[in-house]
Amino acid sequence: MKIAALARQARESLGQGLQALQEGDAPERLLAVAEHLAKAMGTLVEMETAPPASARKATEVVLAALRDGLEQLQLPENVELAAAQTALSS
């Protein structure tokens, strides 16, 4: 599978997680995770049209944003929230 197709597939999957975080009455501290997902998704959009060498270089930006978002999402005070559980399962 080409990088562009993988980037699109990842972006669409992250979109489902982002939607889960933004729906309902998620607390503000959980909505901060959305910033990290949005950063990853924005970079994935750029990767979809970038030359393969540039797209490969951008993967570290995506991974860093996702690591930061997951770190926040998995904090003890967040992990039991319904929105967090839905986002983690998306």
Side-chain angles (χ1 to χ4, degrees):
M1 192 175 272
K2 295 189 180 229
I3 291 175
L6 290 170
R8 187 188 79 251
Q9 188 176 28
R11 179 181 49 80
E12 290 171 353
S13 180
L14 288 174
Q16 293 173 359
L18 182 61
Q19 182 178 357
L21 287 172
Q22 293 175 329
E23 287 180 350
D25 57 350
E28 190 67 32
R29 69 179 189 269
L30 195 55
L31 293 177
V33 174
E35 293 177 33
H36 297 291
L37 290 180
K39 181 176 183 177
M41 290 174 65
T43 303
L44 287 166
V45 166
E46 293 172 7
M47 289 173 68
E48 289 180 47
T49 58
S54 297
R56 282 187 196 93
K57 291 178 184 177
T59 58
E60 192 53 44
V61 173
V62 172
L63 290 173
L66 293 177
R67 282 184 199 111
D68 291 343
L70 278 173
E71 182 180 337
Q72 284 187 326
L73 197 59
Q74 294 174 335
L75 290 173
E77 63 268 23
N78 293 336
V79 78
E80 295 300 322
L81 297 170
Q85 292 178 3
T86 301
L88 285 168
S89 67
S90 295

